[in-house]
Each structure stands twice: as C-alpha cells, then as structure tokens.
Amino acid sequence: MGKDIKAVKGAETVLAKKNKDVYSPSRYQHIALNRGLQEEEMMRPMLKKILSKQWVLYSGTPDSFIQKAVSATEEFSQPLIHLKEPIHKQEFLHEIHKYMVKEYITQILKSKSKKRRRKWKEVSQLMKHDASIINNSMKRLGSGSDWLFPAILHIADIIGEKKKRNIKECLTKLSQDYPDIRREHILAVLTLRGCWRNTRQSMADQIDGLSEGTETGSSRTLFAEIELPNTIQCL
C-alpha cells in the first residue's frame, strides 16, 4: 500500500505543478472524492476499535488507533491541500474532518461495552484526548470546521459525570450545539453511561421539550447523518 500511496502522491504533485494557475474544479473534486473514499476505507477498521480493550491499552501512545488514523489522514491529504483551489480544498477538508468525528461518535453510540464507574471516568478522559488529536490534526491540514470539536467532548462529559443534574446540563449543551441530534442518539449516550431506563426516558423527554419548535438556522449537520440500529429507539 505504501508504494501505491507514493505513486498517487507523485502523480498528483506533477499534475498540480502543470496547473499552477488554472486547475479544473471538476478534476480537483474527482481526485478529492477518490482520495476521500480510499481514506475512509483505510480509517474505518481503526475507528471500529474505539472503546475496545486495545483502544484503552494503546491510548496516549504513538500506537493508539486514533493517532494512526489521523497520521494516515495527514499523509493522504497532503497532495490535495497544496493545490490552488481554496474553496474545493476547504470542502474536502471539511468532509474528511466530519467523517472522522461522525465515525468516532457512531462507534461510541453503537458500543455495548460494559465498564465499572471508575473505568468510564478513564474512558471519558481518553475520549477528550482523542478529540484534541483529531481537531489539532485537521487544523494543521487547514480545516476551518471548528464547530465539530465539541461533539466528542460533550459525549465524554456525559459518560464521565456522576450526578444526574450535571448530566442534564451536558445534554443541554450537546443539543444546543448540535440541534440536529435525535432522541435515539440521546438514549444511546445515556445507555452507555449506565443510566436506568426511566432516567433515560425522562432526560430524553426533557431534551425533546427544549428543542421542540426550535429552528436550527444552519445547514450544518452531524448527528442527522449518524444512523443507529432500530433497537436503540426502544431503549
């Protein structure tokens, strides 16, 4: 795979040099799409390790799954970010940034991991560390999608909280920053946190009440693109 990556990089670098002043947006989008698809295929197995024993073991080390994922992202993205199409470059970086955050959250919400209370506090800290790694990596590449950063942090706060009142406050912040969040997402987070069924339903009802009738006023979407199993809705 290493040789293939270098070959693609070399070809795109030559292409960029030949088109210093005029670079076809359609050609740029085609290359970006192909590279983005390759990147997704490469990152998905690493992101699926989130919350596993191996994820906990290697977190904070150069061998951590999230570190490997962002390193691969930076390597794959380098040939594109230097091309002279700033608008399309931002679109590409935004989609890659959102993909990483979205897939990370998807793995968290789908997890059926059972851990002791003390362990969840540790997991919360590891998630925040991962969120910083993702955000810092995408900033280095030039992504301006800062609005994605708090998503993982909010979920980590909920998972690490002990008091019901504080959990409600964290949920409120999450729903305010991401008004496209749905009831099944909230239930999945609270299930992971270990809340009892009645507590989950009650908190979800309160968040539904807060968001009822509100307009997002933004084309930004994150949770609306996260599909969960139908069983989550029955939690």
Side-chain angles (χ1 to χ4, degrees):
M1 181 178 287
K3 291 182 179 179
D4 292 338
I5 291 173
K6 289 180 181 178
V8 174
K9 278 186 174 183
E12 289 171 353
T13 301
V14 170
L15 187 59
K17 287 179 179 177
K18 287 183 178 179
N19 297 276
K20 288 182 179 179
D21 299 314
V22 180
Y23 194 84
S24 167
S26 60
R27 184 183 293 275
Y28 184 97
Q29 289 172 328
H30 177 70
I31 294 174
L33 176 61
N34 287 339
R35 185 161 283 274
L37 291 173
Q38 293 175 38
E39 197 166 347
E40 289 180 12
E41 288 301 316
M42 183 178 59
M43 285 192 295
R44 190 173 289 114
M46 288 182 272
L47 293 175
K48 282 187 175 181
K49 297 289 186 180
I50 303 299
L51 290 189
S52 68
K53 291 181 179 179
Q54 293 90 343
W55 173 76
V56 174
L57 180 63
Y58 291 112
S59 286
T61 73
D63 292 324
S64 72
F65 294 112
I66 203 65
Q67 188 62 61
K68 288 181 178 179
V70 297
S71 295
T73 298
E74 291 184 9
E75 184 179 1
F76 258 65
S77 302
Q78 283 300 326
L80 291 176
I81 64 176
H82 295 299
L83 298 177
K84 294 187 177 182
E85 283 291 338
I87 295 177
H88 298 297
K89 180 178 78 172
Q90 275 302 315
E91 289 176 357
F92 169 73
L93 290 173
H94 168 72
E95 289 304 319
I96 292 299
H97 194 168
K98 184 162 74 168
Y99 173 79
M100 290 195 70
V101 173
K102 181 177 68 176
E103 284 300 310
Y104 190 101
I105 293 174
T106 299
Q107 297 309 316
I108 292 290
L109 299 187
K110 286 183 176 180
S111 174
K112 296 180 180 179
S113 180
K114 302 292 183 183
K115 290 180 172 58
R116 297 178 182 176
R117 179 72 255 142
R118 181 173 56 83
K119 272 291 184 182
W120 278 122
K121 192 68 178 178
E122 178 187 353
V123 167
S124 174
Q125 294 303 316
L126 294 179
M127 286 176 60
K128 291 178 182 180
H129 183 63
D130 283 354
S132 294
I133 290 176
I134 293 172
N135 193 61
N136 292 338
S137 172
M138 296 311 302
K139 271 190 171 182
R140 284 195 298 272
L141 289 173
S143 172
S145 302
D146 293 337
W147 65 276
L148 291 165
F149 183 42
I152 297 173
L153 299 181
H154 288 325
I155 295 174
D157 283 336
I158 294 168
I159 289 174
E161 271 297 345
K162 292 182 179 179
K163 297 182 179 179
K164 188 185 296 186
R165 181 184 61 189
N166 294 341
I167 293 174
K168 288 180 181 178
E169 290 177 0
C170 294
L171 279 173
T172 300
K173 290 178 182 177
L174 177 62
S175 63
Q176 288 173 343
D177 285 349
Y178 304 94
D180 64 325
I181 194 168
R182 299 193 298 267
R183 184 183 182 87
E184 58 262 35
H185 300 130
I186 294 171
L187 290 173
V189 174
L190 294 176
T191 300
L192 195 63
R193 163 59 181 73
C195 296
W196 293 102
R197 180 183 173 85
N198 288 343
T199 301
R200 297 196 300 264
Q201 295 293 341
S202 174
M203 288 187 179
D205 288 342
Q206 291 178 41
I207 298 301
D208 283 345
L210 289 174
S211 59
E212 196 171 290
T214 60
E215 297 290 338
T216 62
S218 173
S219 59
R220 294 174 176 175
T221 59
L222 177 62
F223 285 90
E225 299 178 30
I226 297 177
E227 296 295 330
L228 297 177
N230 291 333
T231 52
I232 295 291
Q233 302 180 39
C234 303
L235 293 172

